[in-house]
Amino acid sequence: MANITAGMVKELREKTGAGMMDCKNALNEVEGDIEAAIDWLRKKGLAKAAKKAGRVAAEGLIGLAVSGTSGVVVEVNSETDFVARNDQFQALVRDIAKVALGAADDVEAVKAASYPAGGTVAEAVNNAVATIGEHMNLRRSKRLEVSAGVIGTYVHGSVGEGLGKIGVLVALESTGKTDELAALGRQIAMHVAAASPQALDAAGIDADVIARERAVLADKAKASGKPDNVVEKIVESGLKTYFKEVTLLEQPFVHDASKTVAQAVKESEGKVGAPIKLVAFARFALGEGVEKAESDFAAEVAAAAGV
């Protein structure tokens, strides 16, 4: 039998909202596998879908840059939040975003690209580490572009132009009025920041994720004694609901929940004066999926004071 620790129970409880004993039982049933325990709880009707984003633990800044019909979002991490307020660090993130606009859509390519002050981006980060005195890392980068249209942007928790805690890009393809497109792009980018969709549409959801969701829905329906033909209908209905929750085009628009994002885009074509296609989005939340050890701050202060 797997050794189930209090930390494992706590993690599962945070991810599912299930009771402590239910989490412990689930972990015992699946030999300590967190993801399998999430599914076990869901099959028993004791938990909602697993949260996809990890707790925000890393510090630093998200940076955005746009030029013409291209836009980029980058994440540069640091050890403490104090660094995010440092002018030198903020300038570094802004410059990295500008460099990423002209680099290949790959973080390693951005690191190898030439930095404005000389050397490469990777070397500039290392130089900042030496100057500021904290470990830093260019963690990821994503560039979007359209042949005609706009790249809508939104920064949440802004600490300066193009810098903040959450950064969103939205690519709108259209030959219509740029100002109207830009306004729509910002609204959709704000929606993405708030609703955190996993993909543009159902086709963008990983097949393994859909298979897992299907299995959970089927097991729950079978457990309630439904016949096979009814189970399949329940599963298909459940998947439709799931897609409405996690795909951008099907989500209720946060600015008007009476319509979906897709409907809002379609209705905007009159103002824009041309067809609009929402082709892609990118959402970076600072520290997303990165864990760091929790610490007892009071104990650290006491230790430093020799208490």
Side-chain angles (χ1 to χ4, degrees):
M1 180 177 290
N3 179 31
I4 308 303
T5 67
M8 294 165 67
V9 174
K10 180 175 180 288
E11 180 183 352
L12 183 58
R13 190 178 184 187
E14 288 176 348
K15 288 187 173 183
T16 64
M20 189 174 295
M21 289 308 299
D22 289 327
C23 289
K24 186 175 181 180
N25 291 337
L27 287 165
N28 280 323
E29 287 289 332
V30 298
E31 297 293 318
D33 185 320
I34 293 288
E35 293 301 315
I38 291 170
D39 286 350
W40 188 90
L41 287 167
R42 292 185 63 207
K43 290 172 185 178
K44 298 292 184 181
L46 299 172
K48 297 181 179 180
K51 296 176 182 176
K52 298 301 180 184
R55 289 183 301 130
V56 175
E59 304 298 344
L61 285 172
I62 302 296
L64 290 182
V66 174
S67 178
T69 54
S70 296
V72 70
V73 55
V74 301
E75 178 179 4
V76 184
N77 294 134
S78 61
E79 292 180 56
T80 68
D81 183 52
F82 294 110
V83 170
R85 305 169 207 166
N86 180 292
D87 290 342
Q88 182 183 346
F89 182 74
Q90 291 182 7
L92 174 71
V93 178
R94 283 198 185 95
D95 285 342
I96 289 174
K98 290 174 183 176
V99 170
L101 272 171
D105 187 22
D106 175 81
V107 70
E108 295 304 320
V110 176
K111 289 179 180 179
S114 297
Y115 191 71
T120 65
V121 166
E123 290 169 342
V125 172
N126 289 337
N127 291 338
V129 170
T131 303
I132 297 174
E134 275 198 19
H135 175 67
M136 300 172 196
N137 177 51
L138 170 57
R139 183 181 172 217
R140 51 182 173 162
S141 172
K142 182 63 182 175
R143 182 163 55 82
L144 299 181
E145 58 185 331
V146 291
S147 57
V150 302
I151 302 295
T153 67
Y154 174 67
V155 176
H156 184 72
S158 177
V159 298
E161 186 177 353
L163 302 174
K165 300 295 185 181
I166 298 176
V168 179
L169 301 177
V170 172
L172 293 173
E173 191 88 48
S174 179
T175 56
K177 300 173 185 175
T178 302
D179 56 342
E180 294 289 352
L181 276 174
L184 175 64
R186 179 172 174 78
Q187 282 195 322
I188 297 174
M190 293 175 71
H191 170 100
V192 172
S196 190
Q198 294 180 33
L200 185 66
D201 53 27
I205 301 291
D206 187 273
D208 289 340
V209 173
I210 295 176
R212 178 179 170 183
E213 192 67 23
R214 183 182 291 277
V216 169
L217 290 167
D219 285 348
K220 286 179 69 175
K222 289 175 183 177
S224 64
K226 298 290 192 298
D228 289 346
N229 64 320
V230 176
V231 167
E232 185 58 30
K233 291 179 181 178
I234 291 174
V235 169
E236 292 307 316
S237 176
L239 283 176
K240 287 180 181 179
T241 299
Y242 171 71
F243 291 141
K244 289 178 181 178
E245 293 173 350
V246 302
T247 61
L248 176 55
L249 290 173
E250 291 299 313
Q251 286 179 330
F253 195 32
V254 294
H255 300 281
D256 183 352
S258 68
K259 63 187 72 170
T260 65
V261 172
Q263 289 170 334
V265 171
K266 187 66 178 175
E267 289 180 11
S268 296
E269 291 181 346
K271 286 185 178 180
V272 171
I276 308 169
K277 184 178 182 182
L278 175 49
V279 294
F281 73 91
R283 179 187 187 275
F284 281 8
L286 183 64
E288 196 170 45
V290 177
E291 296 285 351
K292 68 178 180 182
E294 294 183 17
S295 62
D296 184 336
F297 184 68
E300 287 180 7
V301 172
V307 176

